[in-house]
C-alpha cells in the first residue's frame, strides 16, 4: 500500500500512531535519563564545572577500561571482596566457606543439628552434675 492510499483515520492508523508515539516516548526518556546520569556522575566525581579546563586535567576523571582495575583506575583486591563476616562469631570467612561455617556456627543444618544437640545434651548433663554436687554439699552441711 502506497503512502497516498493509506487512510488518515481508522483503527489501524490510530494503533500505529499510538505505537509510534510509544516508541518515540521511550527514546526520549532514554536520552533524558542518560543525560541525567552523566550530569549526576559529573557532579559526584567533581568535574561538572570543569568545562573551561585543559584536557590534561580531564584525564583524572576519565573512565578507565583496563584489566585488573575498576572504572576509577584503582587496583581491585579480589580476595578482600570475597570475604564475609560471620554475624554470630564476627570472624572473617571466605565467601565460598560462609554457608558451611554459618551452619556449624549457628548449629543448623544436617550435621550441625546433631552437633548442637550433643552440645546442649552435654551442657544439660554438666548442669545436672553441678546441681548434684550442690545437693551433696547441702546435705553434708
Amino acid at each position: 500500500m502506497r503512502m497516498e492510499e493509506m487512510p488518515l483515520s481508522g483503527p489501524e492508523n490510530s494503533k500505529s500512531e499510538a505505537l509510534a508515539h510509544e516508541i518515540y516516548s521511550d527514546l526520549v526518556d532514554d536520552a533524558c535519563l542518560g543525560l541525567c546520569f552523566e550530569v549526576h556522575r559529573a557532579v559526584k566525581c567533581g568535574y561538572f564545572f570543569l568545562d573551561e579546563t585543559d584536557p590534561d586535567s580531564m584525564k583524572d576523571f576519565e573512565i578507565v577500561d583496563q584489566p585488573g582495575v575498576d572504572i576509577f583506575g584503582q587496583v581491585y583486591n579480589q580476595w578482600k571482596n570475597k570475604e564475609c563476616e560471620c554475624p554470630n562469631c564476627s570472624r572473617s570467612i571466605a565467601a565460598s566457606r560462609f554457608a558451611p561455617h554459618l551452619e556449624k556456627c549457628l548449629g543448623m543444618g544436617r550435621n550441625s543439628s546433631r552437633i548442637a544437640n550433643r552440645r546442649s545434651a552435654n551442657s544439660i548433663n554438666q548442669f545436672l552434675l553441678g546441681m548434684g554436687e550442690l545437693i551433696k554439699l547441702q546435705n553434708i552441711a
Side-chain angles (χ1 to χ4, degrees):
M1 192 181 243
R2 292 180 42 195
M3 189 72 157
E4 295 87 22
E5 297 173 2
M6 290 184 70
L8 295 178
S9 63
E12 287 184 15
N13 195 20
S14 63
K15 286 181 184 177
S16 62
E17 282 182 13
L19 183 62
H21 180 69
E22 184 70 28
I23 292 171
Y24 177 75
S25 296
D26 285 346
L27 289 174
V28 170
D29 287 346
D30 284 345
C32 291
L33 190 61
L35 178 65
C36 289
F37 283 150
E38 287 179 27
V39 169
H40 176 74
R41 185 177 192 287
V43 169
K44 282 295 200 182
C45 291
Y47 64 87
F48 182 69
F49 297 108
L50 296 178
D51 289 339
E52 293 83 31
T53 60
D54 58 322
D56 292 334
S57 63
M58 286 297 289
K59 289 187 180 185
D60 294 338
F61 300 105
E62 287 181 354
I63 294 176
V64 178
D65 187 23
Q66 295 176 354
V69 296
D70 61 5
I71 62 167
F72 303 108
Q74 298 171 350
V75 178
Y76 176 74
N77 187 354
Q78 104 187 57
W79 295 111
K80 186 67 177 170
N81 293 334
K82 293 182 180 179
E83 290 183 355
C84 303
E85 184 176 325
C86 177
N88 193 33
C89 66
S90 301
R91 287 178 51 194
S92 182
I93 292 108
S96 61
R97 298 291 310 149
F98 183 67
H101 168 80
L102 205 56
E103 283 181 4
K104 289 180 182 176
C105 193
L106 295 177
M108 298 177 162
R110 184 176 35 175
N111 294 328
S112 300
S113 62
R114 292 184 207 139
I115 295 169
N117 287 337
R118 262 190 258 138
R119 282 185 191 157
S120 64
N122 287 339
S123 64
I124 290 171
N125 288 339
Q126 293 212 349
F127 175 74
L128 292 176
L129 286 174
M131 289 298 290
E133 294 292 324
L134 183 63
I135 292 172
K136 285 180 187 177
L137 288 176
Q138 286 178 349
N139 290 336
I140 294 174

